[in-house]
Amino acid sequence: ITADETVTVQSYAETDADAFSLGVEVTGVGGGYQYASADVSPEIDTYIGGGTIEAGSAVNVRTYYNTGTDGKAKDQGAQAIAGAGTVAVVGGNGAVSDATSRADVETYVTSDAEIALTGTLSVESLANNDAYANADGFFGGLAGAGTSFPTARSEGTTRSRIDGKVTEAGAVTLRTDARNEADSLAISGSFGLASGRGSVADASVSATSSTGLGSNSSITGVTGNVSVSSVSTTDADAEADGGSISLLVGYGLQDASASVTNSNEAQVGE
């Protein structure tokens, strides 16, 4: 490819999954169960696979996943909401929700490619993985319980790399900017002669991001800067709330767990 101006190879992807499960039961003896599950797991590759590129200006290889071109996160991802309500003499219910966001995003230049340009070579991956789970369970009656169990997981993998040859450039920018967030909210309540409730919320982030110049890459003839950077932002929040009114015997459980695992690397060579 020979171009007087700019060569651009770009992927722009937005994914969104929403699941809702809501139910109310009024009975003498019985209960209800509501389950909602949302999962987004796209694989997005943007790359120069080989050949020679000569450009009079810039060469851009970029991937945007659930972000704008300005890098700001979009309000999209996986959302699961479940709600269960039961009124019974004897009974109970459970609300379970599960939300997972795990995009695999990679932007790269292969070892078979050779690039020469006068401007800036940009190889960039920008990704946003967002998961939200909410579950609400409520019971009212003589004896029974209301329970809620939401789980949110954000497990994105985001990579940028150059394995090929750059023989001439004004500057080279190799960048990864990844955001992974998981939020879980559990609410439960009960009222009765003998009643109970349980709220268990779990939020976890397992993020992997990297930026690198491979051992077979060659960058020469650059008149400006060569920048290799990787930014990873992670956040996990879990909240469990509840309350019960029992005239004789009552019990309650609240448990919230949040965890983050973050592997982030910027490297030159192996």
Side-chain angles (χ1 to χ4, degrees):
I1 297 175
T2 301
D4 292 336
E5 296 295 333
T6 299
V7 175
T8 297
V9 182
Q10 181 171 296
S11 297
Y12 185 89
E14 295 183 12
T15 61
D16 190 57
D18 299 297
F20 301 91
S21 180
L22 306 173
V24 177
E25 183 173 0
V26 180
T27 184
V29 178
Y33 172 76
Q34 301 295 323
Y35 177 69
S37 177
D39 188 306
V40 289
S41 305
E43 294 185 9
I44 306 163
D45 292 330
T46 309
Y47 60 95
I48 295 175
T52 300
I53 295 178
E54 296 180 354
S57 182
V59 174
N60 303 313
V61 190
R62 294 180 177 136
T63 304
Y64 301 97
Y65 172 67
N66 279 357
T67 72
T69 55
D70 58 359
K72 291 184 179 179
K74 297 279 189 177
D75 187 18
Q76 292 174 306
Q79 176 180 251
I81 297 176
T86 301
V87 178
V89 177
V90 178
N93 64 54
V96 179
S97 61
D98 189 290
T100 303
S101 180
R102 53 162 72 96
D104 188 334
V105 175
E106 187 167 11
T107 310
Y108 56 98
V109 176
T110 70
S111 59
D112 295 327
E114 183 174 317
I115 301 173
L117 66 159
T118 59
T120 299
L121 168 63
S122 298
V123 180
E124 300 176 303
S125 296
L126 290 82
N128 172 45
N129 287 277
D130 196 353
Y132 173 75
N134 170 232
D136 303 328
F138 298 95
F139 169 81
L142 186 64
T147 58
S148 59
F149 303 91
T151 301
R153 292 181 292 266
S154 181
E155 302 171 345
T157 299
T158 312
R159 299 180 293 266
S160 304
R161 74 175 196 272
I162 295 176
D163 291 322
K165 295 181 180 179
V166 180
T167 59
E168 181 183 359
V172 175
T173 298
L174 183 58
R175 180 170 72 106
T176 297
D177 192 340
R179 177 182 176 272
N180 287 269
E181 182 174 352
D183 296 283
S184 178
L185 173 62
I187 302 175
S188 64
S190 64
F191 172 82
L193 185 64
S195 66
R197 49 89 192 163
S199 300
V200 179
D202 182 76
S204 64
V205 171
S206 180
T208 302
S209 55
S210 64
T211 307
L213 296 173
S215 59
N216 294 324
S217 65
S218 173
I219 298 180
T220 58
V222 179
T223 59
N225 296 324
V226 175
S227 174
V228 179
S229 65
S230 184
V231 177
S232 179
T233 303
T234 55
D235 183 46
D237 296 296
E239 180 179 346
D241 300 323
S244 62
I245 299 176
S246 301
L247 301 180
L248 184 61
V249 178
Y251 61 92
L253 168 68
Q254 290 175 220
D255 181 73
S257 175
S259 64
V260 172
T261 301
N262 187 8
S263 174
N264 185 37
E265 181 181 67
Q267 53 89 213
V268 176
E270 297 294 338

